[in-house]
Amino acid sequence: MSDAFLQRLRGLLPGDALLTDAGSLRRYAHDDSRRQGEPLAVALPRTRDQVAAVVHACSEHGVAVTARGAGTGTTGASVPVRGSLVLSLERLDRILRIDPGQRLAVVEPGVINLDLQRAAGALGFFWPPDPASADRCTVGGNLACNAGGPRTVKYGATRDNVLSLVAVDGRGRLFASARPLSKLATGYNLTQLLVGSEGTLAIIVEATLRLQPVPAASRALAAAFRDVEAAALAVTRIMAQTVTPSALEFLDGKSLRLARAHAGDDVPDAGALLLLEVDGAADSLDTQEAALRRAVQVDGLLHFAAARDETQRARVWAARRALSPALRTLAPEKINEDVVVPVAALPELVAFLDRLERDSGILVVCFGHAGNGNLHVNLMLDPDEPAQAAAAPGALARLFGKVAELGGALSGEHGIGVSKRDFMPLAVDPVALGLMRGLKRVFDPAGILNPGKLLPP
Ligand SMILES: Cc1cc2nc3c(=O)[nH]c(=O)nc-3n(C[C@H](O)[C@H](O)[C@H](O)COP(=O)(O)OP(=O)(O)OC[C@H]3O[C@@H](n4cnc5c(N)ncnc54)[C@H](O)[C@@H]3O)c2cc1C
């Protein structure tokens, strides 16, 4: 780092707002992918003007800058390339306004998802994105990755629940993506373009989010199946009828065993499980439950029941949320993908995963948001088995190839980052990929915003 650049940063970020010691650099250099970067320094601004001034300085000095929320991403998207400045948004953490009359919340990007849910919940509202990492991840990270979760099947993901953003482009210019209105037909949709852009187009410093009213009542249901194929078929039948569940989660047999280790007999013992929820007016729940009961009647259904009580429901969902970290007990290393296919293609995808496990010798554990066709496919690697490490890249390429063949995409909610970047041409139209590169040049002409992520070189 040149002395002139460092001096300029110190002027912009007084006190402990600029960290350069080795311990801090290490702390801010990785995410949940366990990749490790080598940042120059860590900036911890408190205001949007500081963010704009820092990015402006970076553009003048040709220094790359990687935005960071809480670092819970799974794709290396917030891992800085060598020589980047890490710009952590954690101190821009105020909920500025919740306006029930307009069903919106105005927040800074460093607000933790769960803190927003609590504040909105106190007024009878919620923000739909509910990743299993909600107690740690930030709204800025949710926006940058288009995060989802179980509720997406009914309420949409982050992209569907944002009205406008204030952001800083690659020249350090602050701009509002749109006026925060619930209806708008006034030019290009920059708001939704920034959602899912993984810090490569602009750094988000404020968001106006669309809130939903908390439903009057809800009910948890579970359907257990002999095998994954029967469960996948039931998913397609559920989505083909008119009652939309507010959650429709799939667990394969191996995930179920992990969930049972967490929640005991509250989680049924079976070859596969669908966890469902319905919500709405209290007197609608029986009808909704009956519709779903009819839909899951496939060959291989073992059992369909509503949760006994709130305690059982909470235990089962806690086990579902704990699945991702619990996988590390099966094998210390995992390749965690979140592919998405049309719901009708789910039975073919799960049958393919069985073959992939057999052919590659790698344990494949699968669970996820089946109502959206979005499955978390985990390749569990035993480091004492070098053959597995050798087989992993081929297995991954086969997985993405199959997903593309089924009309799917590489990621439903985690994003691309570094880990899936090179596979982008498999699942994105080549002309669209060229247009994405053009957009990158418009927002960030010097290419300083999170280089090396999302777009293949
Ligand atoms: C146990 C576990 C469970 C998870 N479950 C889910 C799940 O159910 N659903 C789901 O969608 N994801 C899930 N995730 C993935 C992850 O939590 C989400 O992608 C989350 O949105 C990342 O938020 P973050 O604050 O940690 O962002 P980070 O990891 O810090 O950053 C992620 C990306 O966002 C960019 N970014 C961050 N803040 C900004 C900003 N203000 N402006 C511009 N760019 C920014 C970064 O540069 C990076 O590209 C899970 C992760 C873990 C570890």
Side-chain angles (χ1 to χ4, degrees), residues 51-78:
V51 174
V54 167
V55 175
H56 184 63
C58 287
S59 75
E60 289 196 341
H61 289 261
V63 174
V65 52
T66 295
R68 183 180 178 88
T72 66
T74 60
T75 67
S78 66

Side-chain angles (χ1 to χ4, degrees), residues 32 67 69-73 77 131-133 137-138 141-142 144 147-148 198-199 204 413-414 450:
D32 196 63
T72 66
S133 53
C137 65
T138 65
N142 298 162
E198 301 183 16
I204 297 159
E413 55 180 23
H414 289 174
N450 211 7

Side-chain angles (χ1 to χ4, degrees), residues 83-103:
S84 288
L85 178 73
V86 170
L87 198 161
S88 169
L89 282 306
E90 70 196 65
R91 292 183 182 175
L92 274 82
D93 62 353
R94 290 174 306 159
I95 297 176
L96 300 171
R97 187 158 63 91
I98 295 184
D99 182 344
Q102 297 197 75
R103 298 190 170 188

Side-chain angles (χ1 to χ4, degrees), residues 174-221:
L174 267 168
F175 67 100
S177 64
R179 294 270 161 88
L181 302 164
S182 63
K183 216 175 164 204
L184 185 74
T186 312
Y188 298 142
N189 190 339
L190 298 186
T191 309
Q192 270 72 15
L193 174 62
L194 294 188
V195 178
S197 65
E198 301 183 16
T200 63
L201 297 181
I203 295 181
I204 297 159
V205 293
E206 184 184 295
T208 303
L209 308 171
R210 185 199 297 275
L211 299 180
Q212 297 283 349
V214 175
S218 60
R219 185 175 295 168
L221 308 162

Side-chain angles (χ1 to χ4, degrees), residues 30-33 51 65-79 87-90 92 108-113 129-150 152 157-158 166-168 194 196-206 249 320-326 328 334 336 338 367 369 374 376 411-415 417 449-450 453-454:
H30 57 86
D31 68 1
D32 196 63
S33 71
V51 174
V65 52
T66 295
R68 183 180 178 88
T72 66
T74 60
T75 67
S78 66
V79 176
L87 198 161
S88 169
L89 282 306
E90 70 196 65
L92 274 82
E108 291 186 323
V111 169
I112 302 295
N113 179 303
D130 57 342
S133 53
D135 59 342
R136 285 189 290 146
C137 65
T138 65
V139 170
N142 298 162
L143 289 159
C145 295
N146 192 23
T152 301
T158 300
V166 178
V168 173
L194 294 188
S197 65
E198 301 183 16
T200 63
L201 297 181
I203 295 181
I204 297 159
V205 293
E206 184 184 295
E249 297 287 299
R320 162 64 189 90
R321 272 191 294 276
L323 272 180
S324 194
R328 303 252 189 225
K334 62 172 176 167
N336 166 5
D338 82 309
F367 58 90
H369 315 302
N374 179 203
H376 297 303
S411 169
E413 55 180 23
H414 289 174
L449 293 181
N450 211 7
K453 315 296 166 57
L454 201 152

